[in-house]
Amino acid sequence: MVRYLGLLVLGACVTHPGGPFDSPWSYTIENASVEAVQPNGASWDPDNSPPDPYVVVYINNVQLDRTPEDDETFTPDWGYTTKSQLMAPGDTIEFEMQDSDVFNNDIITRCDFTASADLEGHHQCSDATATLDVNVNF
């Protein structure tokens, strides 16, 4: 019994030198705001309705997960947390917001990050077309 207890104490003292790279990461896609028209001045949908945005998350160019579509809105509010996955330093995380259409989806905006120990927390991607709020969790 005493030997077992000694092993437990020793195990509790072991540290994980990889930091956040020893834990699975997930991403919470919070919300976004989308401009009323595309950069070329065209409406998002043929019937002049707002876009039907969703976000696809890629890790090293492989799709990890995607949010549900938020129908006909310029201000989608997902609060969606993706599946989790172990990451390595230097891995690429890409968020691509698209407008769901019948034939061809329009890319609204995209941004990417490089996995690093200081990436945890809130991030905002912004360009002339949209602003996207995400949280990196590990």
Side-chain angles (χ1 to χ4, degrees), residues 4-16:
Y4 182 69
L5 183 57
L7 288 175
L8 284 176
V9 171
L10 179 61
C13 294
V14 174
T15 61
H16 297 282

Side-chain angles (χ1 to χ4, degrees), residues 52-127:
D52 307 296
Y54 65 95
V55 176
V56 182
V57 180
Y58 299 94
I59 306 298
N60 298 324
N61 298 316
V62 176
Q63 183 174 331
L64 171 69
D65 207 345
R66 70 169 261 179
T67 67
E69 294 172 19
D70 201 349
D71 294 332
E72 297 190 358
T73 183
F74 294 111
T75 55
D77 190 12
W78 297 284
Y80 180 85
T81 301
T82 66
K83 298 179 229 175
S84 56
Q85 176 173 324
L86 286 173
M87 301 294 291
D91 282 353
T92 301
I93 307 143
E94 181 179 1
F95 301 95
E96 183 176 86
M97 185 170 24
Q98 299 182 18
D99 171 24
S100 178
D101 290 325
V102 175
F103 297 109
N104 292 315
N105 295 344
D106 302 309
I107 294 175
I108 298 173
T109 192
R110 72 170 54 117
C111 59
D112 57 26
F113 298 94
T114 301
S116 65
D118 61 349
L119 195 58
E120 185 174 33
H122 178 261
H123 297 275
Q124 191 172 70
C125 307
S126 190
D127 63 17

